[in-house]
Amino acid sequence: MKQIETYVYEFLDFAANLNINYFISACNTSSNLFENLDFSAYRFKTLNLFSALNSYLSHNRENFSNKKLFYAATLANIASEKYKSLALEVQPIACPRLVPLIEKREFIEAKRVLEGEYLKDNLGEIHRGAKLILGCTHYALIKQYLTGYQIIDPAELILNEFKNLYGTVNIAQLSLNTYSTGENSSLMVSTKELTCELTSSIEI
């Protein structure tokens, strides 16, 4: 996690040079670190997926009483044990095979692996109808295939958290720029699709 912390500070420094107003961590694993980071050197406001998820669970306790919550995430996320400080108890599920499959856009295979390897009980039965928290933003790309589950996606929750903390923002007035740590044709295609979606359908 120390290496991830170094990356986060590098991103913060990069963002500071752009004179931004808001910094949103869209990575669940790095979001786990935010409570322990020092933001005093930065003028922008910050928000992260973990705080958005925790706020949602805290305000909706009655909806989850006596119901098991599964928290599917990367190995690094689960190893951090940050999930233990969530407002509600969750059952962690490390899913190391999902991200490589999703990055190759093998979405159906990723769903098969999730159900066949990670969402089975001790008797080998799949937890149908389970409440499933997506603890990695990659997993949202297979959400449409996860029928029969009650999905909790922190990436969606963070929009409401943004409104609650900072008020509304007219997205039509935002300047959207994309940056990458490396050249990747698949990444660039996805980025262009996301930019179009942001400018046409999301209201903040």
Side-chain angles (χ1 to χ4, degrees), residues 68-156:
K68 184 173 291 186
L69 285 171
F70 293 89
Y71 184 75
T74 63
L75 278 173
N77 189 329
I78 299 301
S80 74
E81 298 190 337
K82 183 67 176 179
Y83 64 86
K84 292 182 178 179
S85 62
L86 285 169
L88 295 175
E89 182 178 351
V90 300
Q91 179 173 323
I93 304 174
C95 308
R97 292 188 59 197
L98 292 191
V99 168
L101 289 171
I102 292 171
E103 288 186 342
K104 290 189 292 186
R105 306 181 75 85
E106 296 181 10
F107 301 143
I108 300 300
E109 178 63 10
K111 177 204 173 184
R112 187 194 68 77
V113 170
L114 176 62
E115 291 185 331
E117 296 186 20
Y118 303 131
L119 280 179
K120 285 189 175 182
D121 60 22
N122 294 332
L123 298 178
E125 296 294 327
I126 297 174
H127 291 282
R128 297 291 184 187
K131 289 187 177 295
L132 180 64
I133 299 172
L134 304 183
C136 173
T137 44
H138 279 72
Y139 302 170
L141 293 175
I142 63 171
K143 186 165 54 176
Q144 61 181 309
Y145 304 103
L146 300 179
T147 56
Y149 301 95
Q150 299 181 56
I151 303 296
I152 300 173
D153 185 358
E156 293 181 354

Side-chain angles (χ1 to χ4, degrees), residues 11-204:
F11 286 132
L12 289 167
D13 291 339
F14 178 79
N17 291 327
L18 298 176
N19 295 317
I20 66 169
N21 296 313
Y22 308 100
F23 183 95
I24 300 176
S25 172
C27 168
N28 287 269
T29 305
S30 61
S31 291
N32 291 346
L33 302 171
F34 267 53
E35 285 186 358
N36 302 318
L37 298 181
D38 180 9
F39 296 102
S40 60
Y42 309 104
R43 294 184 177 182
F44 48 73
K45 298 174 181 178
T46 66
L47 192 63
N48 66 85
L49 293 173
F50 185 86
S51 66
L53 173 61
N54 209 17
S55 177
Y56 173 78
L57 295 179
S58 179
H59 288 90
N60 292 275
R61 291 176 181 272
E62 67 281 0
N63 296 331
F64 302 106
S65 59
N66 301 319
K67 295 179 181 178
K68 184 173 291 186
L69 285 171
F70 293 89
Y71 184 75
T74 63
L75 278 173
N77 189 329
I78 299 301
S80 74
E81 298 190 337
K82 183 67 176 179
Y83 64 86
K84 292 182 178 179
S85 62
L86 285 169
L88 295 175
E89 182 178 351
V90 300
Q91 179 173 323
I93 304 174
C95 308
R97 292 188 59 197
L98 292 191
V99 168
L101 289 171
I102 292 171
E103 288 186 342
K104 290 189 292 186
R105 306 181 75 85
E106 296 181 10
F107 301 143
I108 300 300
E109 178 63 10
K111 177 204 173 184
R112 187 194 68 77
V113 170
L114 176 62
E115 291 185 331
E117 296 186 20
Y118 303 131
L119 280 179
K120 285 189 175 182
D121 60 22
N122 294 332
L123 298 178
E125 296 294 327
I126 297 174
H127 291 282
R128 297 291 184 187
K131 289 187 177 295
L132 180 64
I133 299 172
L134 304 183
C136 173
T137 44
H138 279 72
Y139 302 170
L141 293 175
I142 63 171
K143 186 165 54 176
Q144 61 181 309
Y145 304 103
L146 300 179
T147 56
Y149 301 95
Q150 299 181 56
I151 303 296
I152 300 173
D153 185 358
E156 293 181 354
L157 302 178
I158 205 166
L159 292 178
N160 290 328
E161 188 76 353
F162 186 96
K163 291 179 184 178
N164 293 336
L165 291 175
Y166 307 129
T168 58
V169 173
N170 184 352
I171 197 166
Q173 297 178 349
L174 296 180
S175 174
L176 297 177
N177 299 299
T178 58
Y179 302 90
S180 173
T181 55
E183 294 186 5
N184 182 298
S185 57
S186 177
L187 173 63
M188 296 310 296
V189 169
S190 299
T191 300
K192 290 180 180 178
E193 292 174 351
L194 176 60
T195 302
C196 292
E197 180 180 343
L198 281 171
T199 53
S200 63
S201 63
I202 293 182
E203 295 181 0
I204 297 180

